Amino acid sequence: MCASSVAGGTGRYSWNVCEVCLKFNRKLGADYGVSLPLGRHSIMNGYGIPISATKRIQEEAAKDLLHFLDVAGSISDWGALQARVLFESVPSWRNEPFIRLARWEAKFHLSKVKATSRSVQMFKDYLRVDDFQELLP
């Protein structure tokens, strides 16, 4: 979500966000009943199609899974946009063919407090809220 820290890994059961964003997503779920599907695999987010279920249940699960894929794609696009914003904030990088990970991390490394603040703001921006209270029914 924040694009300032390395996220996940290469496996299918990796998280698509850094540890700070993942912890905040869990807090958001506990406090407001809203959490984003940030696991790379659908099962990590509670989505699957039970093979032994009735056809109706399987159809509902398939719809839920397709919705998950839409949201996961949106989150992925969001992350790419945030990385682009950070990249463009360093004009001297414009003509470089690539930026090494160590250099990126050095430039955008945040203290724990600032990382949490950035994650909180990114979740607010993604969810289009000024205050998480808006998420409550």
Side-chain angles (χ1 to χ4, degrees):
M1 293 297 290
C2 69
S4 60
S5 299
V6 175
T10 58
R12 79 168 102 170
Y13 296 106
S14 299
W15 295 101
N16 287 324
V17 294
C18 69
E19 190 173 327
V20 175
C21 287
L22 182 59
K23 285 180 181 178
F24 184 74
N25 191 53
R26 290 177 178 149
K27 179 170 176 34
L28 195 62
D31 293 354
Y32 300 98
V34 174
S35 64
L36 299 177
L38 301 177
R40 191 165 292 160
H41 196 288
S42 61
I43 292 172
M44 298 169 70
N45 302 291
Y47 298 100
I49 301 175
I51 300 302
S52 62
T54 65
K55 182 175 178 166
R56 185 182 67 69
I57 291 173
Q58 287 183 351
E59 288 170 352
E60 285 298 314
K63 283 198 302 192
D64 290 345
L65 186 60
L66 290 173
H67 177 71
F68 155 72
L69 292 172
D70 284 343
V71 173
S74 171
I75 292 169
S76 179
D77 291 346
W78 172 265
L81 174 63
Q82 298 316 305
R84 182 61 151 185
V85 167
L86 289 177
F87 172 78
E88 290 177 353
S89 74
V90 185
S92 64
W93 288 358
R94 188 172 303 140
N95 296 323
E96 296 189 35
F98 64 91
I99 306 302
R100 294 196 180 278
L101 180 59
R103 197 166 166 206
W104 182 279
E105 289 176 328
K107 176 67 178 171
F108 299 116
H109 175 75
L110 301 171
S111 68
K112 193 74 160 172
V113 172
K114 286 184 179 178
T116 300
S117 296
R118 180 163 169 82
S119 292
V120 168
Q121 189 59 54
M122 291 300 99
F123 274 85
K124 283 181 178 178
D125 291 350
Y126 179 81
L127 294 168
R128 296 185 178 129
V129 298
D130 293 321
D131 190 305
F132 293 116
Q133 293 291 327
E134 297 173 40
L135 299 172
L136 295 172

